[in-house]
Amino acid sequence: MKRPTDRRTILMAAGAAAVAAAAGTVAAAQSTDIRGAVTFEGGAVVPKGHLEIYLEDPAIQDSARRRAAKTRIESAGKSEAIEFSLSPPASSAASPTLRIVARLERADGWLLARGSAQVETGSPVSVTLNTVMY
């Protein structure tokens, strides 16, 4: 004989569903941002200029989609390390070839230095800028 569903069973099921939904939103709310710091070769001060930091996936052939999230930071020429944070798009978060690229340009657009580093999930990224030779 089948037992009828009582109020207590319905409330327990609703409570379990609410707990599962709350746990899902907490997991989704945890930061997936990529954090790190940019330094200059030899431990020198990062020169004055515009620092453009972006995510790049060399495995993507389409150059328009290759670059993902980016940020632009002004360097006053006084810091040995400049910290940054990027929010990666959901599509590129799982890519094993994802890397951070940093470019330092003067105000007139002349490239001074460039550097890149592989992104490792869960650990901060350290990018060292190397002087560009013309």
Side-chain angles (χ1 to χ4, degrees):
M1 178 173 192
K2 185 176 174 185
R3 289 182 56 183
T5 307
D6 61 349
R7 180 176 178 214
R8 185 170 140 186
T9 306
I10 293 173
L11 289 176
M12 286 178 57
V19 168
T25 28
V26 168
Q30 289 180 351
S31 177
T32 59
D33 287 357
I34 298 172
R35 299 181 185 282
V38 175
T39 57
F40 201 72
E41 64 183 335
V45 173
V46 178
K48 184 176 181 178
H50 305 286
L51 188 60
E52 184 178 341
I53 304 167
Y54 55 91
L55 289 171
E56 182 178 69
D57 192 350
I60 297 175
Q61 299 299 321
D62 182 12
S63 60
R65 290 184 30 229
R66 181 178 294 205
R67 285 189 184 181
K70 71 177 184 176
T71 186
R72 193 167 173 99
I73 301 171
E74 293 293 321
S75 172
K78 299 178 182 177
S79 301
E80 289 182 6
I82 298 175
E83 295 183 2
F84 66 89
S85 175
L86 288 172
S87 298
S91 62
S92 66
S95 176
T97 58
L98 193 64
R99 65 181 176 178
I100 297 278
V101 178
R103 295 171 46 95
L104 180 65
E105 300 175 355
R106 290 191 318 206
D108 62 359
W110 191 264
L111 182 63
L112 297 175
R114 183 185 185 284
S116 65
Q118 203 69 26
V119 174
E120 295 177 18
T121 308
S123 61
V125 179
S126 178
V127 179
T128 301
L129 293 173
N130 298 299
T131 304
V132 176
M133 300 292 191
Y134 287 103

